[in-house]
Each structure stands twice: as structure tokens, then as C-alpha cells.
Amino acid sequence: MGLKFSSSLLLFILAAVIHHHHPTTALPLSTNSRWIVDNGNGGERVKLSCVNWVSHLDAVVAEGLSKQPVDAISNKISAMGFNCVRLTYPLFLFTNDSFASVTVRQSLRKLGLIESIAGFQSNNPSIIDLPLLQAFQLEMELLDNDSFVSSLDRNNIMMILDNQISTPGWCCSDFDGNGFFGDPYFNPDVWLKGLTKVATMFNGSTNVVGMSLRNELRGPRQNVSVWYRYMQKGAEAVHAANPNVLVIVSGLSYDKDLSFLHTQPLTLTFSQKLVYEIHWYGFSNSEDWETGNPNDVCGRVVENITAKSGFLLDQGYPLFVSEWGVDQRGTNENDNRFLNCFLAWAAEYDLDWALWTLAGSYYFRQGVVGMEEFYGVLNWDWCKPRNSSFLEKISPLQSPFQGNKLEF
Ligand SMILES: *[C@@H]1O[C@H](CO)[C@@H](O)[C@H](O)[C@H]1NC(C)=O
Ligand SMILES: *[C@@H]1O[C@H](CO)[C@@H](O)[C@H](O)[C@H]1NC(C)=O
Ligand SMILES: *[C@@H]1O[C@H](CO)[C@@H](O)[C@H](O)[C@H]1NC(C)=O
Ligand SMILES: *[C@@H]1O[C@H](CO)[C@@H](O)[C@H](O)[C@H]1NC(C)=O
Ligand SMILES: *[C@@H]1O[C@H](CO)[C@@H](O)[C@H](O)[C@H]1NC(C)=O
Ligand SMILES: *[C@@H]1O[C@H](CO)[C@@H](O)[C@H](O)[C@H]1NC(C)=O
């Protein structure tokens, strides 16, 4: 009895310590039915609790570096309970020589961002005079290195690279020329070349655990058979260049529709690396939340999601909700009601996810200098959480409920 008590107490303390210190995960990751698992003995479940870090806007550099040093930001990410970042990039950073010779300073200056230059200079002096591609690489190296700092408070932040768009700038609309294969800025061959370049470049970066092939396919050219053709090519290209990463595949209609997989699976030459991703926001269902009865709307929308993508869990694939989020001021009733439904659904299925978004503000978004992001977990100057009660609400989702071998 006494022995049993003390050993469970020990396990309890162990679990608490492990939870607090985010233990190093044995990488690379792979999949085991609908779960993402690590590379340790037997493959223990790893739950992705990520936050999106925007790096695809006009300035073509990770947001926030004029406000805080990279390592200060990675510490905050970890302190807020996230174990992973989904870093977004524009394809042309890797395929278009017009970005190769432009430095961060020149890129910011071209947009007239004098204040950002001064802030960047003082917070991240080692990055500001690098060409944009090298700046991206150095930032990744800093994040990768931070994760391995051998202290008790190691960060262990995993990274997923997401091809958000081709042309740098805010995403997305049906007619922005970036929506689907064959659009003016979406040549499939250029895309495959870019994916290969990214996968190759980060083949040696242990903490890069996944690559999202393309964000929010959309627009008038959408076509299911073309989807199969190029998603297969993209997945194979990434895997050939970097067999370590999870290959993350999105659907049609802004990452909301994978229903065609009901009848025809995506055929690949490799296994245990494929993850599907979807997006879900309050505004995905226009104003339904505010105008309808929230329980009815929740039931109806969840049923719809199950038919469009949720069924993939039953088919034995992980489903990564790579974008979801709300206005964290708590003043948008549509978002508040959506959030309650989302939290219950994500907990019930114990899903992997990435919150939109980290940024408290952007250098330059849609023509506005220093635009504040009310969906951002950090405040305007990136120094503290925007709303700690929001973080408390999502914190249960940051730990796994199921599939973990530490069961008591
Ligand atoms: C390179 O990028 C510029 C600026 O976004 C764009 O106008 C041009 O079409 C791109 N060129 C290629 C070959 O993708
Ligand atoms: C990352 O760590 C390696 C090995 O310790 C070191 O050689 C390299 O300079 C570090 N990179 C940065 C950007 O600090
Ligand atoms: C989809 O693309 C295929 C192959 O290019 C074409 O044969 C088919 O007509 C297209 N379907 C639609 C609905 O546009
Ligand atoms: C990528 O890294 C793995 C080791 O993790 C290595 O076996 C493989 O050859 C590398 N692939 C390429 C294309 O460099
Ligand atoms: C289901 O979701 C799609 C978007 O993915 C939407 O167009 C459609 O109206 C929804 N249907 C219902 C019944 O809610
Ligand atoms: C935080 O969110 C709650 C709603 O969840 C809201 O009542 C509160 O005013 C918000 N606080 C701030 C500082 O925005």
C-alpha cells in the first residue's frame, strides 16, 4: 500500500515536472494511425500545440523582430505553453532572384518603415543587413539552437514551414493570382522547385518537423483531379529532399474541404509521414454564430466539418487544425461563440492545432504601417500576452488527453 502510494506520488511529480519543462521530444516525428508520434521507444504521442508566426508579408521577414530579439520571442512562445511554431513563408523568397540580393534593411526602407528599421537595428542587429533568404535561414538557426540550450528551461520549439502564398503579402482572396495551380503567380513547376529548395535547406535542422505544402487553395481554377496530380508531386518532392519532415497537405476552398478523400485516397510512395490540415474560424460560417442559437450552430457546423475533413481521423490520418483563432479582446460575439464550440470539439478529438496568431502587430499589412493584430497572443509591442484569460482558456488544449503512454 505504502509502496503503491509513493510510486504513484513519484509518477505524479514526474508528470508535473515533465509537463512544466517540456521534455525534449525524440525527433523526427512520424504518424501512427491518427496520431503524430516521436522517434523514441515505441513512438510516444506528440501533440502539436503551435502558434502561427507570420513571415510572408510584404517585408518578407519574420514579424516582430523590430520589437524583440528572436530568443526573447522564442522564450515567450514557450512560456505561453506552445511547443511549436508554424512559420509562414512566401514561395518567391526561395525561387525569385529579385529577393536574393535585397537586405532586410532595404526591404523595410522600400516600404518606408523607418521606425521598424531602428527597432530591428537595436533588437536584431545580426539579421538586419542580411539578404532576405539568409535572414530567414539565420532566424531558423537561432530558433533551432535556442531549442537545444542545455538548461532546465529548455524551449524545445518544433517548427513547421508553411508555404502561405507565392507573392509576399497578406493572404488570401479568390482573385489574388495565388489561389490555385495555373493562376498567374502559381506555376506548379516553380512551386515544386521551391518546395524542394526549402526541404533541402532544412534537411539538417532537427527541429523542423513538418512542411505544409500550400496554404488555402482557392478560386475559380480549383479542380479535384488537378489537386491529386500536384499534391502527390509536391509531397513526393518534399519527401525525396527531406525524409524527416511530416508532409502536411491541405484541401480546397480555403483549407475547408477534403471531402473528395472519402472515395479516393492520395497515393504516395512513402508512409507514416502524411498529415492533413484544415482551417476553421468564426467567420468561416459568416454571421451564423451571432444570429443563430449557438448550440444549434455548433452542432450543424461540426457535422459539416466531420463530413468535409473530420472523417479522416477514422480513416487513420492525423488532422492538424493549422489555423483557428479569435479576436482576443472578447468583443466579437460571433468569435466568442465560435470559440466555445471550437474548444469543446478540439478537446473531444484531442486534435493537433496551430493558433492564429503570434503577432501583436505587423510591420506593414495591407497598406497599413504597424497594424495591430487583435487575433495575436502578444500585445502590440510583442512584450507580453494580450489577454491572459484567453491563454487560460486554451491551456487545457496544450497537453494531450489521449494517446500518451503516461497513463495513470
Ligand atoms: C518575382 O517577384 C516579383 C515581385 O513579387 C514578381 O513581380 C515577379 O513576377 C516574380 N518573378 C517570377 C519569375 O516569379
Ligand atoms: C548554433 O549552434 C552551433 C553549434 O553550437 C554554432 O556553431 C552556431 O554558431 C550557432 N548558430 C547561431 C546562429 O547561434
Ligand atoms: C479539371 O481538370 C481536368 C484535367 O485538367 C479537366 O479534364 C477537367 O475538365 C477539369 N474539371 C473541371 C470541373 O474544371
Ligand atoms: C537528408 O538528411 C538525411 C539524414 O537525416 C540523409 O540521409 C539524406 O541523404 C539527406 N537528403 C538529402 C537530399 O540531402
Ligand atoms: C458546410 O461548409 C461549407 C464550407 O466548407 C459551406 O459552404 C456550407 O454552406 C456548409 N454547409 C452547411 C449545411 O453548413
Ligand atoms: C480578455 O478576454 C475576455 C473575454 O474572454 C474579455 O472579457 C476581456 O476584456 C479581455 N481582456 C483584454 C485585456 O482584452
Side-chain angles (χ1 to χ4, degrees), residues 97-150:
D97 287 338
S98 69
F99 296 107
S101 53
V102 178
T103 68
V104 172
R105 188 191 298 276
Q106 289 164 337
S107 182
L108 294 170
R109 191 183 291 141
K110 210 161 56 185
L111 295 165
L113 306 177
I114 304 308
E115 264 184 58
S116 292
I117 292 173
F120 211 120
Q121 175 73 52
S122 60
N123 285 298
N124 290 286
S126 65
I127 301 179
I128 189 164
D129 288 309
L130 293 178
L132 296 171
L133 184 53
Q134 281 179 41
F136 190 91
Q137 281 178 281
L138 178 57
E139 193 211 331
M140 293 291 289
E141 193 179 327
L142 288 167
L143 286 169
D144 211 25
N145 274 15
D146 275 357
S147 304
F148 287 104
V149 171
S150 58

Side-chain angles (χ1 to χ4, degrees), residues 131-347:
L132 296 171
L133 184 53
Q134 281 179 41
F136 190 91
Q137 281 178 281
L138 178 57
E139 193 211 331
M140 293 291 289
E141 193 179 327
L142 288 167
L143 286 169
D144 211 25
N145 274 15
D146 275 357
S147 304
F148 287 104
V149 171
S150 58
S151 77
L152 272 181
D153 265 328
R154 65 174 73 222
N155 295 328
N156 196 33
I157 295 176
M158 295 177 281
M159 284 173 275
I160 290 169
L161 295 176
D162 164 65
N163 176 211
Q164 181 84 188
I165 194 166
S166 299
T167 324
W170 189 251
C171 191
C172 303
S173 82
D174 278 353
F175 301 100
D176 61 9
N178 283 269
F180 199 74
F181 304 104
D183 278 359
Y185 305 109
F186 199 171
N187 175 323
D189 296 326
V190 173
W191 176 69
L192 291 170
K193 208 177 98 194
L195 287 180
T196 299
K197 188 161 178 190
V198 175
T200 306
M201 191 175 278
F202 298 105
N203 190 26
S205 308
T206 318
N207 273 21
V208 175
V209 298
M211 279 178 59
S212 287
L213 301 188
R214 183 75 173 195
N215 183 68
E216 300 199 352
L217 296 165
R218 61 190 177 276
R221 279 200 174 74
Q222 291 197 96
N223 175 313
V224 170
S225 68
V226 174
W227 183 92
Y228 279 98
R229 185 190 318 150
Y230 289 120
M231 283 301 160
Q232 187 205 23
K233 285 186 189 215
E236 296 290 351
V238 166
H239 188 72
N242 185 336
N244 293 324
V245 287
L246 297 172
V247 174
I248 305 172
V249 170
S250 66
L252 301 177
S253 301
Y254 295 86
D255 272 10
K256 286 187 295 191
D257 188 5
L258 288 158
S259 57
F260 40 87
L261 291 167
H262 265 297
T263 47
Q264 187 187 348
L266 181 62
T267 318
L268 301 174
T269 60
F270 59 92
S271 59
Q272 294 185 293
K273 286 288 182 184
L274 175 62
V275 170
Y276 287 109
E277 70 179 313
I278 59 163
H279 294 176
W280 187 19
Y281 288 102
F283 53 75
S284 306
N285 309 87
S286 60
E287 301 292 308
D288 287 10
W289 294 103
E290 210 173 339
T291 53
N293 170 306
N295 286 333
D296 294 346
V297 177
C298 185
R300 188 158 45 80
V301 173
V302 166
E303 197 178 320
N304 194 355
I305 286 184
T306 305
K308 302 246 169 182
S309 60
F311 69 93
L312 289 162
L313 294 168
D314 292 329
Q315 285 196 354
Y317 299 101
L319 189 62
F320 174 45
V321 189
S322 56
E323 289 188 20
W324 67 277
V326 295
D327 185 325
Q328 290 174 31
R329 290 172 296 183
T331 46
N332 180 328
E333 196 49 30
N334 210 55
D335 273 2
N336 295 345
R337 293 178 174 191
F338 154 78
L339 180 61
N340 288 334
C341 181
F342 176 85
L343 293 175
W345 176 72

Side-chain angles (χ1 to χ4, degrees), residues 328-330 386-387 389-390 393:
Q328 290 174 31
R329 290 172 296 183
R386 174 175 299 280
N387 190 329
S389 81
F390 174 79
K393 263 189 208 157

